[in-house]
Amino acid sequence: MGSNTSLAGRTAVVTGAGAGLGRCEALALAERGANVVVNDVGSAAEDVVVEIKRLGGEAVAVTGDVGDWSMGDRLVQAAVDTFGGLDIVVNNAGVLRDKMLFNLAESDWDDVVRVHLRGHAGVSRAAAAYWRAASKAAGGPVYGRVVNTSSEAFLFGSAGQPNYAAAKAGIVALTLSTAQGLARYGVRANAICPRARTGMTAGVFAEGRAAGGLDILAPERVATFVSYLASPASEKINGQVFVVYGDMVALMAAPVVERKFTAESGAFSVEELDAQLTPHFQDRGPYRTYAAYSVAELDTTGTQNPAAQG
């Protein structure tokens, strides 16, 4: 294992790590040498700790809901108390309450935004405070990696997931802010939009062909990339968004300005807006919106293109 990709001596927090993608991420980080704080709402976190220890790694379980703001401090404290520090945060925990907008209940909105967006923010805040203090104590940058979990649902604006898509868009903005605000302390923050066949996505994907004995949508494929982003090798990668599944990692470009409309007299009238904008949109196709539908063209897995779960 190259020193540039080794996680030996590092400590990671992984939320939602009792099953599915989070479990695979925790195991992958441990396999690379990291100590892991395994978080989930139930006893499955303890089961993953047993798995990691059986493989020769070190781990501790912290049970609780990341939607509770105090959980961030608990997770950071567990990392420091058990392993002497914190180097990596993988924000993965989430829930689904899929509904069309007209059927969306207040609780459907609150549950999803609380666990996904608030959960990411609370854990990131606690880690940020730790790394800032550590950097000040060290008199320079320290080691910090944040991997946040967004989704293609944010890129597409999935019709049946207004709550989930909004939370995942918020996570990307949070990631950019984290990257900007913590870079000076040595922290790198990036977001992934993964697809993986897990319990949460059961029934979403068609069966995938095996490649090298591994399901094309195996969560282990995503976990491998998370291990890379958690490593010293990713030092130059910050504030980026990646779509990750199957045999590929796709780097998303930042939004660009399509067209600038300028008022001839210095201030628009409604009539001039009509004259300039209406012709521009006259023959525009229904899918040519701010949504990144072209991302669907990446899919060569042979499975159905879902609303994209991450």
Side-chain angles (χ1 to χ4, degrees):
M1 188 183 302
S3 61
N4 218 27
T5 56
S6 170
L7 299 178
R10 306 289 184 192
T11 296
V13 165
V14 184
T15 69
L21 182 55
R23 171 184 164 273
C24 285
E25 290 167 338
L27 289 168
L29 294 170
E31 187 181 342
R32 305 298 298 179
N35 306 310
V36 186
V37 178
V38 180
N39 163 255
D40 214 305
V41 289
S43 59
E46 298 282 2
D47 298 336
V48 174
V49 167
V50 170
E51 273 192 270
I52 289 172
K53 289 185 174 179
R54 192 181 297 136
L55 295 170
E58 291 297 325
V60 64
V62 177
T63 304
D65 183 353
V66 292
D68 295 333
W69 196 255
S70 62
M71 181 53 64
D73 288 322
R74 279 188 58 197
L75 291 170
V76 171
Q77 201 60 51
V80 173
D81 290 349
T82 311
F83 302 115
L86 174 67
D87 305 286
I88 301 152
V89 169
V90 179
N91 283 308
N92 168 75
V95 296
L96 290 176
R97 301 286 186 270
D98 291 356
K99 298 281 179 62
M100 295 294 288
L101 186 57
F102 40 77
N103 287 328
L104 191 69
E106 183 178 8
S107 62
D108 296 328
W109 175 267
D110 288 348
D111 288 350
V112 168
V113 171
R114 185 182 65 84
V115 177
H116 285 277
L117 185 52
R118 181 183 168 99
H120 271 64
V123 177
S124 295
R125 184 218 63 82
Y130 170 81
W131 284 321
R132 179 173 179 264
S135 176
K136 287 184 179 297
V142 293
Y143 188 96
R145 297 287 187 271
V146 178
V147 181
N148 288 337
T149 309
S150 185
S151 169
E152 288 169 278
F154 125 77
L155 294 167
F156 296 139
S158 305
Q161 300 179 301
N163 45 2
Y164 184 76
K168 292 305 193 182
I171 285 168
V172 168
L174 173 66
T175 304
L176 298 180
S177 184
T178 303
Q180 292 267 19
L182 302 186
R184 75 187 75 172
Y185 305 118
V187 179
R188 305 292 178 258
N190 297 284
I192 60 171
C193 300
R195 288 193 207 175
R197 198 187 310 280
T198 67
M200 197 167 92
T201 61
V204 173
F205 299 109
E207 286 302 310
R209 56 184 170 80
L214 204 57
D215 184 332
I216 196 69
L217 289 178
E220 287 83 357
R221 295 174 180 270
V222 177
T224 298
F225 184 58
V226 169
S227 296
Y228 165 72
L229 287 180
S231 77
S234 68
E235 172 68 19
K236 298 296 185 182
I237 304 175
N238 197 33
Q240 305 297 335
V241 177
F242 297 91
V243 177
V244 190
Y245 63 89
D247 62 355
M248 60 117 212
V249 171
L251 173 63
M252 294 300 298
V256 297
V257 176
E258 177 186 327
R259 171 84 175 265
K260 179 182 175 182
F261 302 93
T262 306
E264 291 178 10
S265 65
F268 272 115
S269 65
V270 174
E271 288 73 22
E272 189 183 1
L273 287 167
D274 175 33
Q276 289 201 42
L277 272 72
T278 302
H280 185 75
F281 290 94
Q282 195 67 46
D283 299 313
R284 199 177 184 90
Y287 293 106
R288 196 173 166 203
T289 69
Y290 196 72
Y293 288 105
S294 62
V295 174
E297 296 169 10
L298 294 169
D299 191 358
T300 59
T301 63
T303 64
Q304 295 191 354
N305 184 21
Q309 315 292 341

